[in-house]
């Protein structure tokens, strides 16, 4: 049962344009959402997060939007840069779990075309 | 401030053998979580240790076990290795049991032949 889904395995975007990565979840207990970026041969790197009490969080070129009614979140990167080429994982958690179990999606490989 | 480090980076084992993977948590972090990432999949939660005690476990059999030491470093042990255990094993550390921002190590690539 995949509780966090990233339905696009890959995405190619022209440098300078906006990259939009999508994520859906099914467990209504989730109340905290994170995006991680992963380069080959490295561990995931935390990018940005959002609590369920918000619908938007922005950090520089990265913005995460949360639509709780649709159980959907998206990561916007603007403008996209070649260094953004990586695999992006959406992850979800819940303070009710009492621990920091993160449930990950399967990832989206983003390629920025120069 | 040192980040999360894992050892070894790569490992090849034979089916039926046992393996121990190690993780040093980020300075000041008292919580360590372990994840298994199979090829083409997202990381899957194995278990978490908080102040030397197991604090939550994912859907993995008992042959996956762990330890956390007083300095908050951690070990993941896997007994009776199976071919499907071949994966990237990731360790993540965080501050506090309820913290939701985890910092990952580079992982250990385990291949079972």
């Amino acid at each position: 049962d995949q509780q966090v889904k990233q339905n696009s395995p890959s995405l190619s975007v022209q440098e300078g344009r906006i990259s939009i990565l999508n994520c859906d979840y099914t467990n209504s207990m989730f109340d905290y959402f994170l995006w991680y970026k992963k380069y080959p041969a490295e561990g995931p790197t935390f990018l940005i997060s959002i609590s369920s009490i918000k619908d938007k969080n922005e950090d520089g070129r990265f913005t995460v939007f949360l639509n709780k009614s649709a159980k959907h979140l998206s990561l916007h990167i603007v403008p996209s840069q070649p260094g953004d080429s990586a695999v992006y994982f959406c992850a979800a958690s819940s303070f009710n779990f009492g621990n920091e179990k993160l449930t990950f999606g399967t990832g989206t490989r983003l390629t920025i075309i120069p | 401030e040192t980040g999360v480090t894992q050892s070894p980076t790569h490992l090849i084992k034979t089916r039926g053998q046992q393996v121990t993977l190690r993780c040093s948590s980020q300075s000041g972090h008292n919580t360590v979580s372990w994840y298994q990432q199979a090829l083409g999949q997202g990381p899957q939660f194995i278990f978490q240790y908080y102040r030397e005690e197991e604090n939550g476990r994912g859907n993995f059999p008992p042959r996956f076990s762990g330890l956390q030491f007083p300095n908050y470093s951690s070990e993941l042990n896997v007994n009776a290795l199976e071919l499907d255990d071949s994966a990237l094993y990731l360790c993540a550390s965080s501050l506090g049991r309820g913290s939701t921002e985890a910092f990952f190590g580079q992982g250990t690539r385990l291949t079972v032949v």
Side-chain angles (χ1 to χ4, degrees):
Chain A
D1 176 29
Q2 193 72 24
Q3 297 185 62
V4 177
K5 301 177 187 179
Q6 293 177 257
N7 292 319
S8 298
S10 63
L11 176 68
S12 293
V13 174
Q14 205 78 33
E15 181 180 357
R17 299 285 185 105
I18 184 171
S19 295
I20 301 176
L21 295 93
N22 293 303
C23 178
D24 298 294
Y25 61 97
T26 57
N27 191 337
S28 55
M29 293 277 287
F30 290 143
D31 54 20
Y32 199 78
F33 304 90
L34 307 91
W35 285 93
Y36 282 84
K37 174 179 175 178
K38 188 178 185 301
Y39 292 118
E42 293 184 13
T45 302
F46 170 76
L47 204 53
I48 192 168
S49 63
I50 188 167
S51 162
S52 61
I53 63 173
K54 294 185 173 183
D55 54 20
K56 177 183 173 180
N57 189 26
E58 197 170 348
D59 183 3
R61 296 186 298 115
F62 303 93
T63 304
V64 56
F65 295 91
L66 175 62
N67 183 335
K68 280 193 301 183
S69 60
K71 293 191 174 69
H72 177 84
L73 63 155
S74 61
L75 174 67
H76 292 210
I77 306 173
V78 56
S80 300
Q81 299 175 354
D84 296 331
S85 295
V87 177
Y88 288 77
F89 290 99
C90 169
S93 183
S94 170
F95 285 109
N96 290 329
F97 290 163
N99 60 47
E100 194 181 315
K101 171 185 173 180
L102 293 174
T103 302
F104 284 85
T106 52
T108 296
R109 181 177 301 279
L110 175 64
T111 302
I112 305 302
I113 304 164
Chain B
E1 179 178 293
T2 58
V4 180
T5 57
Q6 293 185 242
S7 62
T9 54
H10 295 84
L11 199 52
I12 299 175
K13 288 286 190 178
T14 304
R15 190 171 49 182
Q17 284 188 314
Q18 178 265 342
V19 69
T20 297
L21 310 182
R22 294 178 175 82
C23 171
S24 293
S25 59
Q26 184 157 316
S27 177
H29 286 184
N30 55 16
T31 303
V32 172
S33 303
W34 286 91
Y35 291 81
Q36 180 197 66
Q37 186 181 8
L39 203 60
Q41 301 296 314
Q44 300 246 328
F45 178 75
I46 303 175
F47 43 56
Q48 180 184 87
Y49 280 84
Y50 171 70
R51 292 189 175 179
E52 302 178 59
E53 292 196 0
E54 188 177 290
N55 177 48
R57 188 178 181 93
N59 189 25
F60 281 82
R63 57 191 186 82
F64 285 77
S65 63
L67 278 175
Q68 187 178 33
F69 300 99
N71 66 354
Y72 302 132
S73 65
S74 177
E75 285 183 356
L76 165 65
N77 298 290
V78 188
N79 293 323
L81 283 166
E82 299 177 1
L83 297 180
D84 285 349
D85 295 333
S86 296
L88 180 67
Y89 288 85
L90 293 162
C91 166
S93 76
S94 58
L95 180 59
R97 189 166 40 185
S99 167
T100 51
E101 186 176 318
F103 294 84
F104 284 83
Q106 83 283 7
T108 294
R109 172 73 61 188
L110 173 65
T111 303
V112 182
V113 298

